[in-house]
Amino acid sequence: MRALILSDIHGNLEALTAVLAAAQPFDTLWNLGDMVGYGASPNEVIDLVRPLAELTVRGNHDRVCCGLSSALGFNPVARAAALWTQRTLTPENTAWLRAVAQGPLQPAHPGVTCAHGSPLNEDQYILNMRDAWAPLQQMPTPITFFGHTHLQGGFAQKEHDWQELKPRYSTHDQAESVVLDIAPGTRHLINPGSVGQPRDCDWRAAFAIYDSDAATIHYHRVPYDLTTAQGRILMAGLPERLAARLREGR
């Protein structure tokens, strides 16, 4: 079984389209949330990913952009994007976002949990081993997929051995992948990275493939039509910073 894991698409249609093309073939899709916010194609992203996803977890931007919680906790740029997204979403997509379940959720495949932020608190970021320690200890499944940080990688633990996972790539302009073997008896927190707004200084769209038969996780990066994505943001009247940071990858 090959599962495509996506997170933090953030209204970036060009990045999502590139990822779906590069990820073929896959058997199922698990969506870790934050489909909207920041980018200028929220309806198009939802219309594309919604019918494909076996499982979707809500993200904090999804929650704010559909009106379930206030944007006051966001910084000014994120707040402006969220309010624009609220006005732009179709009634159908707003209603669907409001119904998306809070994580953590478990797909039909055994041994896996999916969350947006920490599986212990959807708004908490898992940035270091201190953040990862409690989820690694407490989750009922050996593998937990999470997003929210926009940083591809994760954490692993086997008995007294703890490890931070950071895929290493050789370029920043071509499609690349890095394979992680899932060792027996090891617990993992895996972040596929952000499809539409990476923040690890690599502008390419990020995703992961979980191959349960081979016991591997493939981290991927793929280039996409950055110019068009930036142009959509500027033409929508969204803050220019949202377009500039796509090239910076941070």
Side-chain angles (χ1 to χ4, degrees):
M1 190 274 300
R2 285 171 55 86
L4 169 60
I5 301 100
L6 305 181
S7 191
D8 299 282
I9 304 167
H10 280 294
N12 190 331
L13 179 63
E14 286 68 35
L16 175 60
T17 302
V19 163
L20 292 175
Q24 298 290 342
F26 56 89
D27 301 308
T28 189
L29 191 159
W30 301 334
N31 174 17
L32 307 184
D34 271 4
M35 292 162 279
V36 299
Y38 297 137
S41 303
N43 289 304
E44 294 86 347
V45 162
I46 291 175
D47 290 343
L48 184 54
V49 78
R50 177 181 173 184
L52 296 176
E54 170 199 340
L55 174 150
T56 296
V57 180
R58 80 173 184 196
N60 57 308
H61 283 259
D62 301 328
R63 193 178 70 228
V64 170
C65 289
C66 71
L68 285 176
S69 59
S70 170
L72 292 178
F74 283 177
N75 66 55
V77 170
R79 184 163 60 249
L83 296 176
W84 177 90
T85 302
Q86 282 185 5
R87 298 191 299 269
T88 303
L89 283 171
T90 65
E92 178 184 0
N93 285 337
T94 298
W96 180 75
L97 274 182
R98 292 178 69 92
V100 171
Q102 176 182 348
L105 303 176
Q106 294 182 359
H109 187 80
V112 173
T113 296
C114 294
H116 179 65
S118 168
L120 306 181
N121 182 337
E122 65 176 337
D123 290 323
Q124 181 180 341
Y125 293 91
I126 301 179
L127 294 167
N128 51 47
M129 193 60 76
R130 185 184 300 274
D131 301 329
W133 187 87
L136 281 171
Q137 297 296 304
Q138 297 181 36
M139 291 311 297
T141 59
I143 300 176
T144 297
F145 293 103
F146 73 101
H148 196 35
T149 68
H150 300 211
L151 303 174
Q152 192 177 60
F155 304 87
Q157 179 254 327
K158 183 175 183 180
E159 297 177 349
H160 300 295
D161 183 21
W162 300 76
Q163 183 181 7
E164 185 171 357
L165 309 171
K166 289 186 177 181
R168 305 293 183 185
Y169 299 101
S170 58
T171 74
H172 274 191
D173 58 2
Q174 300 177 20
E176 292 184 273
S177 63
V178 173
V179 181
L180 169 68
D181 293 318
I182 304 172
T186 303
R187 300 177 66 81
H188 288 87
L189 286 168
I190 300 295
N191 191 328
S194 173
V195 172
Q197 182 125 158
R199 292 183 185 164
D200 50 9
C201 298
D202 185 338
W203 69 276
R204 296 172 297 176
F207 66 99
I209 296 283
Y210 168 50
D211 189 326
S212 62
D213 297 328
T216 57
I217 291 166
H218 293 245
Y219 292 108
H220 291 267
R221 302 305 283 251
V222 62
Y224 67 93
D225 186 351
L226 177 67
T227 301
T228 298
Q230 291 176 312
R232 289 184 192 271
I233 290 170
L234 297 175
M235 292 299 292
L238 288 161
E240 293 184 12
R241 174 64 184 144
L242 293 174
R245 75 186 310 175
L246 292 182
R247 167 58 69 185
E248 300 166 2
R250 60 183 177 88

